[in-house]
């Protein structure tokens, strides 16, 4: 899958499941629940123990695109792609990581918080811009940015839930990333995959009609 193909797919499915957990054994069952709910784009953050094994495991599945989050160095990027990641996400803009993603031929989504950072990421070669953390203006921030900068592909990954997902997308967001609203930390650790799956279905339903 090329970076452009990923961007197109992400724009169609409109949502990703982003898992961050401190318990290695809980990671796969929790993400399995998200996949059963219908998520086609999933992300494991590199802060999760055993993350490269999980990326490799899930990337072998047909119809599933797996990415790596919290990518902070060129070495992180290389290791994630070697294990099957097809997109990379970072909480910050780092030109070296963006350049490495281009060399590896995978999509990159650095974290931005202002129009200046978003434009900087775009000009550096980032196909997508992760809005992180979400500003107080909420969806109106995306709409305001896209007025003068319509070529940006902004993806909020903080502050999105089933109640405001439609508003974020209606404002022009390319897609959304669901972290805590999908994976409640206690439920992940307790193995309550039934609750995660049910919540995942509600989140996907919230984005499907926009």
């Amino acid at each position: 899958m090329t970076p452009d193909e990923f961007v197109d797919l992400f724009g169609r499915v409109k949502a990703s499941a982003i898992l961050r957990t401190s318990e290695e054994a809980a990671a796969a069952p929790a993400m399995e629940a998200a996949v059963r709910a219908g998520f086609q784009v999933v992300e494991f953050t590199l802060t999760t123990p055993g993350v490269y094994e999980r990326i490799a495991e899930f990337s072998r599945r047909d119809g599933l695109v797996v990415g790596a989050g919290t990518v902070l160095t060129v070495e992180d990027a290389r290791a994630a792609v070697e294990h099957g990641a097809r997109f990379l996400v970072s909480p910050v803009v780092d030109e070296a990581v963006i350049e490495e993603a281009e060399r590896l031929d995978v999509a990159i989504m650095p974290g931005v918080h202002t129009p200046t950072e978003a434009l900087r990421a775009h000009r550096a070669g980032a196909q997508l811009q992760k809005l992180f953390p979400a500003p107080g203006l909420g969806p109106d921030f995306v709409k305001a940015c896209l007025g003068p900068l319509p070529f940006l592909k902004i993806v909020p990954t903080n502050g999105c839930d089933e109640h405001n997902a439609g508003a974020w997308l209606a404002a022009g967001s390319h897609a959304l990333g669901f972290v805590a609203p999908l994976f409640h930390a206690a439920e992940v650790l307790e193995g309550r995959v039934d609750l995660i799956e049910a919540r995942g279905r509600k989140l996907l339903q919230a984005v499907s009609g926009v």
Side-chain angles (χ1 to χ4, degrees), residues 90-106:
S90 178
V92 298
V93 179
D94 186 317
E95 281 82 358
V97 173
I98 295 172
E99 290 172 7
E100 186 63 17
E102 182 177 9
R103 190 189 71 79
L104 295 167
D105 196 30
V106 296

Side-chain angles (χ1 to χ4, degrees), residues 144-157:
C145 283
L146 293 178
L149 304 168
F151 46 82
L152 296 178
K153 290 183 170 57
I154 299 174
V155 180
T157 63

Side-chain angles (χ1 to χ4, degrees), residues 65-156:
V65 183
V66 182
T70 319
V71 176
L72 298 176
T73 68
V74 167
E75 291 73 23
D76 288 344
R78 291 172 182 166
V81 173
E82 286 173 3
H83 285 83
R86 296 310 305 159
F87 66 96
L88 305 174
V89 184
S90 178
V92 298
V93 179
D94 186 317
E95 281 82 358
V97 173
I98 295 172
E99 290 172 7
E100 186 63 17
E102 182 177 9
R103 190 189 71 79
L104 295 167
D105 196 30
V106 296
I108 177 72
M109 182 165 45
V112 304
H113 190 65
T114 67
T116 299
E117 290 177 345
L119 182 60
R120 174 186 162 195
H122 171 78
R123 286 180 171 170
Q127 300 87 358
L128 301 155
Q129 299 80 43
K130 167 183 174 173
L131 182 57
F132 177 82
L137 290 174
D140 286 342
F141 177 88
V142 173
K143 185 177 181 179
C145 283
L146 293 178
L149 304 168
F151 46 82
L152 296 178
K153 290 183 170 57
I154 299 174
V155 180

